Amino acid sequence: MGVDLHKTSHVLFFVVFLPAVSFGIGWLFAQAIPHAPFWVETISPLAAYGLLFGFFDKVVWHWPIFRWLGIVGTPDVRGRWLGEQVSSFRDENGKNRKSRVMMEVTQTFSHIEVHTYYHNWQSTHTAASCWPIDGQVAVVIMFESEPKAAYEGNAMAHKGVIKLFEVAPGRLTGSYFNANGHYGELSFRRTRFTLHHTFEAVGRK
């Protein structure tokens, strides 16, 4: 994620195009205010670049044109996701335990933050990023989980890693493993772009 100067598309966009537009804005500013102090004329192109980059990074990075131009290659996983987790942990009937999970993702061009919510568990994610794996871009999440106060089982707090791939727009699938020796599969579908920071279901908007 972020600017990669090894990519020609990034060099052309971030090193050539955005600075050119920024200097153009600075020139227009100087024409509009011809008697501005010299330090204002110096700062204005830099300020314009900062504003343009910030606008791209936080607002328009996910527009299809930037993917078509090769500037953005990471999947757009913003929003709230409803998922199912199938664990190697077996219940009292000897079946793999299935759990409902809600995942919420805040994403910009340069940053991604992920939180998952379970009925009896709460997770704190220490790191999340997008990495090329086997020819695809994966969302890789390192997490710490601990049972909620109301949990009556004997599981302990643990750390682990989740790896997710986009299989279709609004669909993610992948796997996880944790330090307790358990592993499993995950599948998600996006339900909305707004976040609610809770496991509980919310009405559709």
Side-chain angles (χ1 to χ4, degrees):
M1 300 182 68
V3 179
D4 182 358
L5 296 182
H6 291 94
K7 290 185 176 181
T8 302
S9 60
H10 281 205
V11 172
L12 292 175
F13 185 72
F14 295 106
V15 180
V16 178
F17 176 73
L18 285 188
V21 174
S22 300
F23 277 105
I25 293 174
W27 181 83
L28 291 174
F29 181 83
Q31 298 303 306
I33 309 176
H35 302 296
F38 76 94
W39 56 268
V40 173
E41 296 179 9
T42 303
I43 293 175
S44 58
L46 298 176
Y49 186 92
L51 290 172
L52 288 172
F53 181 84
F55 184 68
F56 169 80
D57 181 60
K58 294 178 174 59
V59 181
V60 303
W61 68 272
H62 56 83
W63 288 8
I65 187 172
F66 297 112
R67 196 172 301 278
W68 180 77
L69 291 172
I71 297 167
V72 176
T74 56
D76 177 7
V77 293
R78 298 167 298 136
R80 181 173 169 90
W81 300 75
L82 170 63
E84 181 182 71
Q85 175 179 300
V86 181
S87 173
S88 62
F89 182 84
R90 297 183 182 274
D91 61 21
E92 60 274 9
N93 298 317
K95 296 182 178 180
N96 294 91
R97 177 169 292 178
K98 294 183 179 180
S99 303
R100 187 185 185 197
V101 54
M102 304 301 297
M103 179 174 71
E104 295 192 335
V105 183
T106 303
Q107 185 181 11
T108 68
F109 174 71
S110 60
H111 178 74
I112 184 170
E113 183 176 341
V114 182
H115 293 279
T116 53
Y117 304 92
Y118 296 80
H119 179 62
N120 288 316
W121 287 80
Q122 56 189 14
S123 295
T124 301
H125 295 92
T126 56
S129 189
C130 293
W131 292 93
I133 299 177
D134 298 330
Q136 293 180 276
V137 178
V139 181
V140 179
I141 308 157
M142 292 183 285
F143 67 88
E144 297 181 1
S145 288
E146 58 184 28
K148 294 180 179 178
Y151 182 62
E152 298 179 352
N154 57 6
M156 300 175 62
H158 57 268
K159 299 180 180 181
V161 176
I162 297 171
K163 181 173 63 178
L164 298 171
F165 294 94
E166 184 180 46
V167 294
R171 297 279 179 174
L172 295 172
T173 186
S175 59
Y176 79 95
F177 66 88
N178 62 41
N180 288 347
H182 296 133
Y183 55 91
E185 298 178 350
L186 293 154
S187 59
F188 290 93
R189 64 176 179 84
R190 180 160 43 205
T191 59
R192 63 186 62 214
F193 284 96
T194 54
L195 307 182
H196 295 273
H197 312 291
T198 179
F199 171 80
E200 285 73 20
V202 293
R204 181 175 296 276
K205 291 186 179 179

